[in-house]
Amino acid sequence: MTVFRPRLRGLVSKLALFYVLLSLPTLIVVESAILIYEFQRFTSGVRASSLDHAAQRGARELSGLWPHLRGTGTEDTTALQLWLDAWILRLQQPHGGLTPDESYVLLELTEVPLGAAIVGADSRVLAQSGGDANWLLDLPTRDEVARARQARDRSAIELSGSSDSYTIQRVLVPLEGAAGQTGEFLFIELRVPSPWRHLLFDTSFESPTVFAFLIVFGLASSIFLAAWVTRRLSHIARAATAWSRGDFSNRIDDRSGDEIGGLSRMLDGMALDLRSLLRSRAQLATLAERQRLARDLHDTVKQKAFALNLQLATVRRMLGDSAGGSRLEPAQRLTQQIQQELGQILDEMRASDAELPFAERVRMRANDWAHTSGASLGFAIDDIPSLAPADEDSLLRVVDEALSNVLRHSGAQHVDLSLRRTAERVSLVIADNGHGASDESGGGMGLRNMRERVEALPGGRFDFESSPGRGARVTVSFRIEEPR
Ligand SMILES: Nc1ncnc2c1ncn2[C@@H]1O[C@H](COP(=O)(O)OP(=O)(O)OP(=O)(O)O)[C@@H](O)[C@H]1O
Ligand SMILES: [Mg+2]
């Protein structure tokens, strides 16, 4: 018995490969689309001066705290440094940070994209936060500080900064004390990589996680699917093995509506057809054997019994009423009984073929006819559903009459018989290659009877075509209906 097991080169690995190959590019496309969209929103939000506002808010806060943080005249900048670090941390917060709506991008990035510094009047850096070995803050130059000092609108000065693979924004905001400007500045720099750069070069925990998920998901679902499919294939294989042994009691019985279910139903149907075909073949073989025996008995034993009876009668007549003659009487009676009983046995042996499928009955009639007529036969016979018994008998009479007409009137050497089935109708054609009918009107009752029989069938149509020298053709067709 064949049982399918998931194999390495089988469905499991193919499905797993298929899942990974399909889902990986899909994932990359979806991830890229989301990233590009989020980064665009973020950078346009920052461009629409949210960085300026954050810097101004920071400068106001720092200005308020300046006396406490700086003290008077001391060089110690630790407090400034602490405030700056705390401020940068606050700006990264998802809510209330730099850009509350776009905080997702800041969380997404592995490196902090913000750097800040407190710059003195002489552009000396008092405190600095952010930046690392790969990213040195682009601190304001002496010129930039001088220009900021002279600028008219002194709330927030945007400095230039550009790079192909980063969006860079630099903002300088003057600090204000109670007596006006203190001369110091709060400087902030934002450096966000382009979405593509982020996707390709920045390592994040997401990609390995998603990749691992894909592998696990792909393997798990393919193992599950393959086990499910192979289990159903095993059912099919088991049933097919049973059928090949001639056991048609086994059915696949897969009721699901998918392709395997459809295939299973087709195979179940095929097994039923095969079973009835085998049965009718077996019946046919038995019947053919019975008929051969009957023919042999008829041609040998029955003829000899007949001849014996004739000889006994002759001898009896010759002997007359003598003692010998009367002794022959029981012998002759016995021979007659033998003839009679043999006749009965032969009738039984030529038992009715009514149990056979209709197509087989037609074929047998035609073969018997060919046997007696000596003409050759061409068949084109489809399996057709069983008809009502009376209709089958009627059609067989039509076949008999058409073949008998061929023998009596056509002189044909060959007859083509076709029994064809379409979705709704059956057609039966008997065509000969004889000399054809010159005039069928003067005939007997055969054609009329055939027409009447056929027209009594559901949707029955009868046609007889013939012209001299071109043979004759009887065409019958009728509609298939559920047996009545
Ligand atoms: N296959 C054929 N080839 C040539 N002529 C045919 C063929 N079938 C029928 N005919 C012609 O059609 C006539 C009518 O046939 P139909 O069967 O009605 O009568 P029949 O065979 O002569 O007599 P009945 O069938 O009553 O014994 C026939 O006499 C014959 O001339
Ligand atoms: Mg006839």
Side-chain angles (χ1 to χ4, degrees):
M1 184 178 63
T2 317
V3 175
F4 294 99
R5 288 181 207 295
R7 281 179 298 141
L8 194 64
R9 290 180 61 204
L11 277 175
V12 177
S13 44
K14 283 182 188 148
L15 281 173
L17 191 71
F18 170 76
Y19 278 134
V20 173
L21 286 184
L22 184 81
S23 45
L24 211 58
T26 314
L27 193 86
I28 290 174
V29 169
V30 172
E31 171 104 356
S32 315
I34 294 174
L35 262 181
I36 291 169
Y37 173 71
E38 289 289 341
F39 273 63
Q40 295 299 346
R41 269 186 65 199
F42 175 77
T43 46
S44 65
V46 169
R47 280 210 186 90
S49 74
S50 65
L51 189 69
D52 294 6
H53 289 146
Q56 282 169 16
R57 280 200 306 275
R60 268 202 301 281
E61 186 183 318
L62 182 59
S63 302
L65 293 171
W66 192 258
H68 307 288
L69 298 177
R70 192 73 177 105
T72 39
T74 165
E75 282 298 310
D76 184 12
T77 56
T78 318
L80 284 180
Q81 183 65 50
L82 284 174
W83 179 87
L84 203 57
D85 288 340
W87 183 56
I88 289 292
L89 272 178
R90 267 187 286 141
L91 284 182
Q92 291 168 38
Q93 297 294 311
H95 295 289
L98 175 64
T99 52
D101 290 346
E102 295 85 15
S103 57
Y104 162 76
V105 174
L106 290 176
L107 289 176
E108 174 82 13
L109 296 170
T110 47
E111 288 164 8
V112 179
L114 286 167
I118 299 169
V119 184
D122 50 357
S123 79
R124 196 159 54 93
V125 175
L126 302 177
Q128 177 177 343
S129 178
D132 54 27
N134 300 322
W135 172 30
L136 294 176
L137 279 185
D138 189 4
L139 292 165
T141 60
R142 195 178 282 273
D143 276 359
E144 283 171 332
V145 173
R147 256 188 285 127
R149 236 179 238 289
Q150 288 153 13
R152 267 205 184 162
D153 175 12
R154 308 191 63 186
S155 53
I157 297 100
E158 282 193 29
L159 306 176
S160 62
S162 72
S163 160
D164 285 345
S165 42
Y166 290 91
T167 298
I168 296 179
Q169 286 221 300
R170 297 164 71 233
V171 174
L172 202 55
V173 185
L175 301 183
E176 307 230 4
Q181 303 224 337
T182 60
E184 280 86 10
F185 290 87
L186 178 63
F187 168 74
I188 183 160
E189 182 177 325
L190 175 83
R191 202 173 109 115
V192 184
S194 71
W196 287 113
R197 192 192 158 80
H198 173 64
L199 199 68
L200 296 176
F201 301 112
D202 287 2
T203 49
S204 79
F205 76 99
E206 254 177 50
S207 311
T209 314
V210 169
F211 193 69
F213 168 77
L214 270 182
I215 301 282
V216 173
F217 171 79
L219 267 179
S221 51
S222 52
I223 286 172
F224 167 76
L225 254 176
W228 181 58
V229 170
T230 46
R231 185 171 48 80
R232 295 168 69 193
L233 289 179
S234 294
H235 276 156
I236 296 180
R238 202 173 303 134
T241 314
W243 297 339
S244 70
R245 284 197 309 259
D247 174 10
F248 290 97
S249 62
N250 216 312
R251 296 192 56 198
I252 307 169
D253 214 13
D254 189 327
R255 281 150 208 257
S256 101
D258 60 16
E259 284 80 354
I260 297 184
L263 176 73
S264 306
R265 278 189 292 282
M266 257 176 61
L267 289 173
D268 277 341
M270 192 195 77
L272 281 181
D273 289 350
L274 214 58
R275 181 170 65 177
S276 67
L277 189 72
L278 286 178
R279 270 191 194 156
S280 61
R281 284 270 159 85
Q283 283 171 336
L284 202 64
T286 319
L287 210 72
E289 182 57 17
R290 240 173 22 199
Q291 291 201 333
R292 191 186 64 75
L293 260 174
R295 244 191 338 257
D296 288 354
L297 278 177
H298 175 273
D299 293 349
T300 56
V301 183
K302 198 176 174 201
Q303 302 311 325
K304 282 177 183 149
F306 180 69
L308 182 63
N309 187 28
L310 275 184
Q311 280 177 13
L312 284 175
T314 313
V315 175
R316 237 183 102 193
R317 239 189 343 268
M318 284 165 65
L319 293 178
D321 290 336
S322 66
S326 54
R327 294 282 301 271
L328 276 181
E329 197 198 334
Q332 200 187 359
R333 249 199 334 270
L334 213 68
T335 318
Q336 280 163 354
Q337 271 176 15
I338 291 176
Q339 273 182 293
Q340 212 177 16
E341 282 167 17
L342 202 58
Q344 280 169 4
I345 292 174
L346 288 181
D347 281 349
E348 276 171 30
M349 286 181 85
R350 278 198 214 95
S352 144
D353 56 1
E355 284 166 26
L356 289 176
F358 178 64
E360 281 311 325
R361 297 177 78 186
V362 171
R363 193 196 292 274
M364 277 178 61
R365 290 290 165 112
N367 274 332
D368 279 355
W369 176 86
H371 190 73
T372 17
S373 71
S376 61
L377 263 176
F379 284 118
I381 291 190
D382 290 345
D383 261 349
I384 65 162
S386 55
L387 311 168
D391 292 350
E392 285 196 4
D393 287 346
S394 215
L395 280 164
L396 288 173
R397 297 269 145 71
V398 171
V399 173
D400 286 345
E401 174 59 24
L403 290 175
S404 131
N405 276 354
V406 172
L407 189 63
R408 283 172 58 199
H409 308 300
S410 76
Q413 299 301 310
H414 183 80
V415 174
D416 278 313
L417 187 151
S418 87
L419 182 64
R420 284 266 132 104
R421 173 202 174 150
T422 59
E424 289 178 351
R425 296 185 73 82
V426 170
S427 77
L428 168 73
V429 178
I430 297 170
D432 65 62
N433 68 348
H435 46 64
S438 46
D439 178 19
E440 73 235 37
S441 57
M445 294 179 61
L447 287 178
R448 204 172 55 225
N449 284 352
M450 282 197 271
R451 183 179 298 278
E452 282 171 9
R453 283 184 192 284
V454 172
E455 286 176 354
L457 297 175
R461 284 182 223 138
F462 176 84
D463 191 33
F464 176 79
E465 296 166 79
S466 177
S467 51
R470 309 193 61 183
R473 165 189 293 259
V474 169
T475 309
V476 169
S477 86
F478 58 93
R479 207 174 46 242
I480 302 171
E481 284 192 345
E482 291 293 308
R484 277 169 276 164

